[in-house]
């Protein structure tokens, strides 16, 4: 059985699609999506030129909803663009097309994997993926200048999946990004900082380019 066109690992090779997943797709996953895009622009200029596409959705997504106002404030703190965001409910097609799914919590990860589509090897919590990426020697990954960012990203996902059973979280909570929905802006900002710190090594590993100082 062949994978549908666009599926990670077995699908198209000209793009690499990252899907961020939380519950409502109005707080955590929009922040993570837009911070990822912002970090990619810092490193690549235009992430689409490298073939990277970043999206988000929610397991109980508020279809068509704007992101929470506090989430917009957090993005503004980082200089990231919050404009034009529209919430989405997680659908099979989103998982099928994704090359890498990064979730806010282990429950979200389990929900994505339960949808099928061979998602297990390319679905991680964000903080789990960060932990695994830190353990991967960048020299073992394809050089993006020679083979392209997409090939490097695919190799990174394979390497992380291979490490998962060997590099366990120190605590159950270590892989969780808690939900700030309804919380004051101070908690939103702490979650934004947490997400940004988790993303930095991930984007560096994906692109082979460190954040500019």
């Amino acid at each position: 059985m062949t994978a549908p066109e666009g599926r990670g690992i077995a699908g198209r090779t000209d793009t690499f699609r990252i899907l961020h997943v939380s519950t409502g797709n109005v707080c955590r996953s929009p922040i993570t999506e837009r911070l990822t895009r912002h970090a990619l622009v810092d490193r690549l200029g235009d992430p689409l030129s490298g073939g990277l596409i970043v999206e988000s959705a929610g397991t109980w997504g508020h279809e068509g909803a704007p992101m929470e106002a506090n989430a917009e404030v957090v993005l503004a703190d980082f200089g990231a663009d919050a404009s034009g965001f529209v919430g989405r409910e997680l659908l099979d097609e989103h998982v099928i097309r994704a090359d890498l799914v990064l979730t806010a919590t282990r429950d979200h990860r389990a929900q994505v994997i339960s949808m099928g589509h061979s998602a297990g090897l390319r679905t991680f919590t964000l903080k789990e993926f960060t932990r695994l990426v830190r353990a991967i020697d960048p020299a073992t990954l394809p050089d993006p200048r020679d083979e392209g960012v997409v090939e490097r990203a695919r190799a990174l996902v394979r390497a992380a999946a291979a490490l998962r059973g060997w590099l366990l979280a120190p605590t159950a909570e270590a892989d969780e990004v808690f939900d700030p929905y309804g919380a004051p802006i101070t908690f939103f900002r702490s979650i934004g900082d947490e997400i940004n710190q988790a993303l930095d090594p991930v984007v560096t590993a994906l692109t082979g380019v460190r954040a500019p100082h």
Side-chain angles (χ1 to χ4, degrees):
M1 179 178 176
T2 58
E5 184 181 11
R7 172 181 283 182
I9 301 172
R12 295 174 54 187
T13 59
D14 57 339
T15 60
F16 183 92
R17 199 174 286 264
I18 303 167
L19 176 67
H20 294 295
V21 175
S22 63
T23 303
N25 194 214
V26 292
C27 297
R28 288 169 291 181
S29 50
I31 290 172
T32 315
E33 172 196 315
R34 295 307 176 94
L35 286 181
T36 303
R37 290 187 188 182
H38 183 65
L40 288 171
V41 169
D42 276 351
R43 289 162 170 81
L44 300 177
D46 178 4
L48 291 177
S49 67
L52 301 183
I53 300 168
V54 186
E55 302 174 312
S56 65
T59 55
W60 290 88
H62 301 294
E63 190 73 28
M67 75 173 76
E68 282 288 293
N70 280 345
E72 292 190 0
V73 172
V74 167
L75 290 174
D77 288 345
F78 289 100
D81 182 13
S83 66
F85 180 83
V86 178
R88 302 192 305 176
E89 183 178 356
L90 181 67
L91 302 176
D92 289 271
E93 65 192 60
H94 301 145
V95 177
I96 289 168
R97 288 201 307 259
D99 297 279
L100 171 62
V101 184
L102 296 176
T103 70
T105 70
R106 291 167 296 147
D107 282 348
H108 297 133
R109 182 185 65 193
Q111 288 179 66
V112 172
I113 292 172
S114 74
M115 294 171 74
H117 315 302
S118 305
L121 291 176
R122 51 199 166 92
T123 303
F124 309 79
T125 76
L126 169 62
K127 293 170 87 173
E128 173 193 22
F129 195 65
T130 301
R131 186 177 70 253
L132 297 171
V133 160
R134 288 184 185 278
I136 296 168
D137 181 356
T140 64
L141 300 172
D143 188 327
R145 294 167 296 183
D146 297 330
E147 299 183 54
V149 173
V150 168
E151 285 307 310
R152 181 184 178 91
R154 292 184 188 282
L156 182 69
V157 173
R158 291 193 296 269
L163 274 178
R164 178 152 45 191
W166 300 93
L167 194 64
L168 303 179
T171 66
E173 290 73 28
D175 285 343
E176 306 274 289
V177 175
F178 294 108
D179 192 355
Y181 185 78
I185 186 60
T186 50
F187 188 65
F188 265 84
R189 284 190 163 121
S190 71
I191 292 297
D193 287 339
E194 197 175 312
I195 290 170
N196 192 59
Q197 289 175 26
L199 281 174
D200 181 66
V202 169
V203 177
T204 297
L206 283 169
T207 62
V209 181
R210 292 188 178 278
H213 295 291

